[in-house]
Amino acid sequence: RFPTGYRHTTRMNELALLGYVIVRGDVQDPAFVRAIKSVLGIALPVVPGKVTPFTHGVALWQAPDEWLLVCARAARQSCIAGLESALQGIHAQVVDNSGGLTMVYLTGAHQVTLLRHVGVYDFEALKPGRLASTVCGKATLTVFRHDDHGIFLIFRRSFADYVWRLLSKAARPYGLGIAALEQGTAHPILRLV
């Protein structure tokens, strides 16, 4: 319990049960690029650490030949089926990793300060539309921003309890709250829940 008058200056929400689809392929292959664009409506980001929104979610650059697509759980199967169909005969791979990952959204005045307590990455340098892979405690995280309002953390579901406790402990000096997320938002990630 917080003392009377104590304000929660950091908020943390799990964005549970989203779709996580890994796509691998060669962006130098025009057939691969056309197939992806025909399903997602975008070209996959080729700049390291780039995040690109698309109609049903966001595409996160993971490596020169690998991307993580985050989408609504309800759109996952159609996204996978569309990609597999479009990529037939092309050297590429589509893998559903939805059961293995989860996401936490940090907002509030001390979101960056809180992350500084648990990780070595320069979180202040993380600009909107960018991501980084880093380690916080014993967990590997993909950390990204869409805007200046919050930071998204993607990690293995098996580390969910550990990461939640790690962040909760780091937030003690600042206060931690869990607030209802805005429904019906146009935000490319928050609209997925």
Side-chain angles (χ1 to χ4, degrees):
R1 287 179 48 159
F2 296 110
T4 306
Y6 195 88
R7 301 192 69 151
H8 298 157
T9 57
T10 305
R11 289 173 300 286
M12 184 165 63
N13 292 84
E14 182 182 14
L15 306 181
L17 302 176
L18 294 177
Y20 298 93
V21 179
I22 295 170
V23 175
R24 292 186 181 102
D26 181 4
V27 291
Q28 302 303 318
D29 179 355
F32 175 76
V33 173
R34 278 192 306 274
I36 294 296
K37 199 164 191 173
S38 73
V39 176
L40 302 181
I42 60 160
L44 292 170
V46 294
V47 176
K50 181 84 171 123
V51 178
T52 303
F54 65 96
T55 304
H56 298 293
V58 291
L60 286 73
W61 182 96
Q62 300 283 280
D65 63 350
E66 182 178 326
W67 298 265
L68 177 62
L69 307 179
V70 181
C71 60
R73 192 65 161 233
R76 172 185 55 134
Q77 280 307 103
S78 64
C79 180
I80 291 169
L83 288 167
E84 286 176 341
S85 176
L87 292 168
Q88 272 188 337
I90 298 171
H91 185 69
Q93 183 179 35
V94 178
V95 178
D96 184 1
N97 202 8
S98 302
L101 298 172
T102 193
M103 186 185 308
V104 165
Y105 181 48
L106 287 176
T107 57
H110 294 288
Q111 58 183 289
V112 172
T113 306
L114 184 155
L115 287 172
R116 253 191 275 135
H117 286 295
V118 297
V120 296
Y121 183 75
D122 180 13
F123 295 101
E124 289 87 351
L126 191 62
K127 301 294 182 207
R130 306 294 296 172
L131 68 86
S133 291
T134 188
V135 175
C136 288
K138 298 176 185 176
T140 302
L141 285 80
T142 297
V143 182
F144 72 97
R145 282 189 175 279
H146 168 69
D147 52 34
D148 288 322
H149 299 296
I151 298 174
F152 296 90
L153 315 172
I154 299 174
F155 49 91
R156 298 190 81 57
R157 187 179 301 279
S158 58
F159 278 88
D161 184 61
Y162 171 79
V163 170
W164 191 269
R165 289 173 188 262
L166 183 72
L167 295 173
S168 296
K169 184 176 181 181
R172 284 182 188 158
Y174 316 107
L176 178 66
I178 300 170
L181 293 171
E182 183 182 342
Q183 298 298 310
T185 179
H187 192 284
I189 297 102
L190 297 180
R191 68 184 168 84
L192 303 176
V193 293

